[in-house]
Amino acid sequence: MQRYFIYFAYDGTAYHGWQVQPNGNSVQAELQKALSVLLQTPIQVVGAGRTDTGVHARKMVAHFDMECTLNEEQMAYKLNRLLPHDISVYGLEAVAEDMHARFSAKWRTYHYYVHLYKDPFCRTYSYQLYRTPDFDKMNEAAAYLCEVKDFGAFCKSNSDAKTTLCDLIKARWVQEGEGKWYFEVTANRFLRNMVRALVGTLLDVGYGKLTLEAFREVIMSKSRSNAGESVPGHALFLEEVEY
């Protein structure tokens, strides 16, 4: 049995997230359907993580197993011909049988994009802020995130997560142009809705609704009800998965 990693990107606008859903289309469903058609056998893929409805990925990784050896370059070409226009395969790679797309991943990086002025070319992939927050204060608060381990305050209520502990090694706001910023966060794992809740709470700091001390108290409370609102999913991208 040969295990393959598949590297791909997708625009999540039309999908109910990564994971197969009973009442809506998903990226996983489309990928499995295309692989099953090409390989003429039912294929199940395991992703590096789960993205929510409307969330995008510049680099997602999934694995599947085959009893025969595949021509990786040819398979990537055929997949791109068969998959919808909003899913793009970068390549396939044969890996050791104990490599796992989810559990072998060491770090995952997300970006959340915001812009400060009305821009028709940003609206689909960035969140418009209607006033300018204090990005310096938000960066002070973001730096504190790398000093804590329990992110229960940013986990969606009724989540099935067995633990709310995460190792964050990077959390910062980066300006990429006039009136355009993104929040970059890297961790070994993320809780459901975590990045969007983090951004919403950091914006509360930037708008003066929370002091830095109050922000720390929110984290220590481990209660989702104390944190800020979740920002919309359309501006969130899974940027990188590292093994």
Side-chain angles (χ1 to χ4, degrees):
M1 187 70 70
Q2 178 62 61
R3 175 157 293 182
Y4 287 91
F5 269 20
I6 179 169
Y7 304 94
F8 56 104
Y10 55 85
D11 178 334
T13 303
Y15 300 101
H16 290 256
W18 155 256
Q19 193 171 23
V20 169
Q21 303 289 331
N23 300 312
N25 198 16
S26 69
V27 179
Q28 184 182 27
E30 289 290 347
L31 187 59
Q32 289 182 165
K33 181 170 66 175
L35 282 166
S36 298
V37 168
L38 289 174
L39 299 173
Q40 298 184 336
T41 187
I43 297 293
Q44 299 290 320
V45 299
V46 177
R50 295 181 293 183
T51 54
D52 292 335
T53 298
V55 176
H56 320 288
R58 291 192 209 278
K59 180 183 177 182
M60 178 58 132
V61 184
H63 78 248
F64 66 95
D65 297 323
M66 277 296 295
E67 293 184 0
C68 62
T69 301
L70 301 177
N71 182 316
E72 297 158 11
E73 184 176 349
Q74 187 179 69
M75 180 57 61
Y77 172 77
K78 289 181 177 180
L79 278 170
N80 279 326
R81 293 288 300 270
L82 191 58
L83 284 164
H85 69 279
D86 46 13
I87 304 175
S88 178
V89 173
Y90 297 141
L92 279 76
E93 178 186 15
V95 298
E97 62 179 12
D98 61 345
M99 285 291 289
H100 194 284
R102 179 182 175 190
F103 298 126
S104 298
K106 293 182 178 180
W107 304 108
R108 298 164 173 84
T109 297
Y110 281 89
H111 286 181
Y112 191 89
Y113 294 85
V114 301
H115 58 288
L116 303 177
Y117 309 104
K118 185 177 180 180
D119 185 335
F121 303 108
C122 286
R123 64 184 178 85
T124 307
Y125 305 110
S126 179
Y127 178 46
Q128 184 178 352
L129 304 180
Y130 290 93
R131 55 193 177 103
T132 304
D134 187 331
F135 284 99
D136 289 334
K137 278 192 176 179
M138 291 198 297
N139 263 328
E140 285 187 62
Y144 179 67
L145 295 172
C146 297
E147 300 177 19
V148 299
K149 296 294 184 183
D150 196 321
F151 291 87
F154 307 104
C155 182
K156 188 170 184 176
S157 300
N158 302 318
S159 169
D160 58 358
K162 295 180 180 179
T163 175
T164 53
L165 301 179
C166 305
D167 291 328
L168 262 69
I169 59 170
K170 184 183 292 184
R172 61 176 184 167
W173 286 91
V174 179
Q175 185 170 14
E176 61 173 354
E178 182 65 30
K180 295 179 181 179
W181 294 72
Y182 63 86
F183 176 61
E184 179 180 36
V185 58
T186 300
N188 66 326
R189 64 189 293 265
F190 287 90
L191 308 172
R192 189 176 180 189
N193 205 48
M194 177 174 161
V195 180
R196 293 163 58 194
L198 278 172
V199 172
T201 310
L202 288 169
L203 285 171
D204 283 348
V205 174
Y207 289 135
K209 296 179 182 179
L210 282 177
T211 63
L212 292 173
E213 182 58 35
F215 178 75
R216 295 187 181 98
E217 290 174 359
V218 166
I219 297 173
M220 297 305 293
S221 76
K222 304 176 187 177
S223 172
R224 179 67 185 91
S225 62
N226 291 331
E229 293 184 5
S230 293
V231 288
H234 73 275
L236 181 59
F237 285 74
L238 174 61
E239 295 280 339
E240 180 68 74
V241 183
E242 300 174 67
Y243 292 88

